[in-house]
Amino acid sequence: MRNAPPDRMLLTGNHAVAWAARLARPKVLPVYPITPQTPILEKLSEFEAKGELDAEVITPESEHSVMAASIAASLAGARVFTATASQGLLLMHELLHYASGARAPIVVANVNRTVASPWGFWPDETDSLAQRDAGWIQFYCESAQDCLDTVIAAFRIAESVLVPAMVNLDAFYVSHALEPVSVPGQELVDAFLPPYSPPHRIDPQNPESWGNVVSQEMYCRHRRDLGEAMARVFEVALETEREWSRLTGRSSPIIERYRCEGARTVIVAMGSLCGTARDAVDALREGAEAVGLLKVRLFRPLPVEALRAALAGVAEILVLDRNYSPGYGGVLHQELRGALYGIADPPKIHGRLAGVGGVNVSAERIAELVREAAAGEARRESVWVEG
């Protein structure tokens, strides 16, 4: 099915997120401003003021209250969108667990930014990766187009399995960079994303309750059910990707292999680093070096079997992490080590803390890291990299 051709717009990542939210037709949008997410709230408020967004945009007194309002609205049966960054996401932490336990399919866009202290406003994924055990689906976006497509898809996936979803984009490199973006028409998005109609909701005409104290066995059952729903995400995401590609002619793979055919070394990364890594791969391929890129778009649930299949037969893996977990290392590096543990003929996995705190890592530096990794031994710990 193809509708009217999409509008081609020059958008920042933040404004692409706002357009995606508008097209998804949410009914409640509780958002609190925070650098560098504020342009999302500003654009949504502009849409509402012009009568282009039929929704309630509210600004509670803090991000904690934003998530509280989001949960309440979702449990009442409304489609809910919100956005935040860094310290705002950390302030939501308590209620992120409540939202997933309540099976409230809220979608939040998080602009990845350094967490305090010291204060900084630069791209770093530690804020969202610190929430990786909160029971939320997590996506990481490379570009403004990626942001628009992923936010729309996140609503469909989250509402299909009743698990909330977090769409992450790097501060400034994505949030404030202008790029051409194909914005689909409302009719197309309506065909892709049906109205939200949950099987249970808080309704005075049909009383139900949520949040009561439960026994140990009931709590255990709830956690198991959440796990089973999370286990369905990958297949639902694949089906969603196929349908979006059919409607738009544009694909957003859960994990994307770029020039991996015959590659001896594969770079693995998330977010905006993937764009720079592509340039490095192209330069290395021009020099007859067999290098590819594996972009991880879906991080939670971690698509273990898909990662194993995508990296089968690779001799060397270089994982680039724009995050740092003290005492653990680069989060993607360590999780990939776990995902590939026990396979036959395992590759050497090299972890590099590249871009932590927003440090720029050029394509030339990534090419150097590839060569350094190939010449050295793999280490369990992640190695720090300067720009």
Side-chain angles (χ1 to χ4, degrees):
M1 171 183 174
R2 293 287 185 103
N3 294 300
D7 288 331
R8 194 75 167 163
M9 301 183 188
L10 195 61
L11 297 177
T12 64
N14 277 338
H15 284 178
V17 166
W19 266 98
R22 167 182 161 172
L23 289 165
R25 297 188 187 271
K27 288 301 180 184
V28 182
L29 298 95
V31 189
Y32 189 89
I34 180 172
T35 301
Q37 168 271 114
T38 302
I40 298 176
L41 172 58
E42 292 172 337
K43 180 57 74 173
L44 290 171
S45 298
E46 177 186 323
F47 288 150
E48 183 194 32
K50 290 180 177 179
E52 298 169 347
L53 176 62
D54 181 18
E56 189 74 23
V57 179
I58 57 177
T59 51
E61 73 277 7
S62 73
E63 288 87 354
H64 189 279
S65 296
V66 161
M67 188 49 59
S70 297
I71 293 167
S74 183
L75 293 181
R79 177 171 288 158
V80 179
F81 174 81
T82 185
T84 190
S86 185
Q87 303 300 125
L89 185 64
L90 301 189
L91 188 53
M92 290 179 177
H93 175 75
E94 174 191 3
L95 290 170
L96 295 181
H97 287 268
Y98 197 102
S100 61
R103 307 295 297 278
I106 301 157
V107 172
V108 58
N110 176 63
V111 183
N112 288 125
R113 190 198 100 187
T114 50
V115 295
S117 67
W119 281 104
F121 298 90
W122 316 118
D124 187 295
E125 296 159 352
T126 305
D127 55 352
S128 55
L129 290 171
Q131 318 305 320
R132 63 188 179 274
D133 300 326
W136 284 60
I137 302 164
Q138 286 200 13
F139 293 99
Y140 288 81
C141 297
E142 176 185 353
S143 65
Q145 185 71 68
D146 211 2
C147 291
L148 184 141
D149 294 342
T150 304
V151 167
I152 294 171
F155 277 106
R156 177 161 162 161
I157 297 164
E159 292 171 5
S160 295
V161 298
L162 296 180
V163 175
M166 187 182 299
V167 178
N168 298 285
L169 55 149
D170 284 344
F172 303 109
Y173 290 143
V174 178
S175 69
H176 283 64
L178 280 166
E179 299 179 58
V181 177
S182 293
V183 180
Q186 187 65 66
E187 181 184 355
L188 184 149
V189 177
D190 289 346
F192 174 79
L193 184 63
Y196 177 47
S197 182
H200 300 280
R201 69 181 74 194
I202 298 172
D203 179 0
Q205 303 305 316
N206 184 26
E208 294 188 10
S209 66
W210 174 259
N212 51 302
V213 177
V214 297
S215 67
Q216 298 97 318
E217 290 78 11
M218 290 177 68
Y219 187 89
C220 183
R221 187 171 70 246
H222 274 283
R223 300 302 288 178
R224 184 188 64 212
D225 289 347
L226 175 58
E228 291 174 353
M230 191 68 86
R232 293 175 48 216
V233 167
F234 183 72
E235 289 301 324
V236 173
L238 286 180
E239 183 277 328
T240 299
E241 175 195 330
R242 287 191 290 267
E243 179 66 7
W244 187 246
S245 178
R246 185 180 72 83
L247 290 170
T248 65
R250 188 170 56 252
S251 180
S252 299
I254 301 307
I255 54 173
E256 178 187 344
R257 300 173 79 248
Y258 178 72
R259 303 193 75 170
C260 286
E261 297 76 14
R264 184 184 185 280
T265 303
V266 170
I267 301 166
V268 180
M270 301 192 300
S272 63
L273 266 173
C274 293
T276 310
R278 288 176 201 275
D279 290 341
V281 167
D282 290 342
L284 289 163
R285 283 284 185 172
E286 287 179 8
E289 296 181 67
V291 180
L293 167 69
L294 186 71
K295 169 185 168 181
V296 178
R297 180 163 158 263
L298 175 66
F299 176 77
R300 274 293 183 271
L302 190 69
V304 173
E305 295 305 321
L307 289 170
R308 288 186 169 205
L311 295 168
V314 174
E316 304 264 359
I317 296 173
L318 175 65
V319 185
L320 304 180
D321 270 299
R322 195 189 292 280
N323 64 81
Y324 176 57
S325 173
Y328 185 64
V331 174
L332 182 58
H333 172 214
Q334 299 300 341
E335 296 231 348
L336 191 62
R337 282 171 54 88
L340 300 183
Y341 179 77
I343 65 172
D345 299 320
K348 290 200 292 185
I349 306 176
H350 307 268
R352 296 295 183 265
L353 296 163
V356 174
V359 171
N360 182 57
V361 183
S362 67
E364 294 75 17
R365 185 69 179 108
I366 292 175
E368 290 174 5
L369 294 175
V370 170
R371 297 185 182 111
E372 290 170 7
E377 290 299 316
R379 296 166 56 179
R380 184 177 185 85
E381 67 274 18
S382 304
V383 178
W384 285 94
V385 172
E386 299 299 328

